[in-house]
Amino acid sequence: LDLIKGTFRDLGIIAAGEIPGDDMVQDALQYLNSMIGHWNSVYGLTVYAITEESLTLTVGAASRTWGTGGNFNTARPSTILGGYIGDGSSDTPLEIIGPDRYASISDKTSSGTPRYIYPLYTFPLATVYFYPTPDSAYTFHANSLKAFTEFTSLTADLGLPREYQRVLRSNLAVEMSPQFPGLVLSPVVV
């Protein structure tokens, strides 16, 4: 994981091009997950990851709930960033609209290939309204932000916005520094 290797370089534990030992990496992963959990539970700070999913629409269903136990039974999105409808041969971009624009659609029973989505971020399930109502079991390809709870793999693509890398790396260095007696943190890291 580049984030962990970068943290060890910032701490001066390894040099550029060196790889930390497996035990060191596993300890750093535990610290990282603990730090993210602490931020969430103590400060209410949530780290978000960009998630890409392919979800199947239901013919005649103008809305779908999204979240654990919903029609789209995956983690509830915090924000839908964009998406498109696929029918196997072509893709139709989706425009995200707000409540006023959705309310201005007079005939919400029209069916066809959806071109608009109106997301309603209710809790515990979000609701996504599609217009027109799907006339086929299209695939909804969605990009969204979802709460990130822990790193489960050292090799997986994390899907984190780039601006998170520096914050996570420098805070992980501060969290881990007491494990290295005599280490003095650089002001650049802090």
Side-chain angles (χ1 to χ4, degrees), residues 127-149:
T127 303
V128 181
Y129 296 88
F130 294 88
Y131 180 79
T133 299
D135 63 354
S136 182
Y138 298 109
T139 301
F140 171 37
H141 299 272
N143 293 319
S144 65
L145 289 179
K146 293 189 176 190
F148 183 83
T149 55

Side-chain angles (χ1 to χ4, degrees), residues 33-165:
N33 286 332
S34 176
M35 181 180 72
I36 291 170
H38 181 77
W39 288 353
N40 191 3
S41 65
V42 174
Y43 302 111
L45 298 174
T46 304
V47 174
Y48 294 97
I50 299 169
T51 305
E52 296 179 19
E53 296 175 276
S54 297
L55 307 161
T56 304
L57 299 182
T58 301
V59 176
S63 67
R64 304 275 75 196
T65 56
W66 193 346
T68 304
N71 304 124
F72 299 150
N73 191 19
T74 67
R76 177 190 173 278
S78 298
T79 304
I80 298 172
L81 302 172
Y84 62 93
I85 297 293
D87 65 7
S89 62
S90 64
D91 297 331
T92 303
L94 286 167
E95 181 180 342
I96 300 170
I97 61 175
D100 293 339
R101 180 124 178 246
Y102 185 73
S104 73
I105 298 171
S106 58
D107 181 11
K108 293 181 180 68
T109 61
S110 292
S111 63
T113 303
R115 294 185 317 269
Y116 304 96
I117 58 170
Y118 163 48
L120 187 58
Y121 300 106
T122 50
F123 194 81
L125 300 174
T127 303
V128 181
Y129 296 88
F130 294 88
Y131 180 79
T133 299
D135 63 354
S136 182
Y138 298 109
T139 301
F140 171 37
H141 299 272
N143 293 319
S144 65
L145 289 179
K146 293 189 176 190
F148 183 83
T149 55
E150 71 176 18
F151 292 86
T152 56
S153 166
L154 294 172
T155 57
D157 178 16
L158 306 176
L160 295 173
R162 295 187 76 218
E163 56 270 18
Y164 283 20
Q165 298 292 327

Side-chain angles (χ1 to χ4, degrees), residues 5-15 18 24 173 180 183-186 189:
K5 287 192 298 188
T7 299
F8 282 122
R9 280 194 308 274
D10 291 346
L11 288 169
I13 305 300
I14 64 170
E18 289 185 327
M24 291 173 64
F180 304 98
L183 179 76
V184 178
L185 284 175
S186 162
V189 172

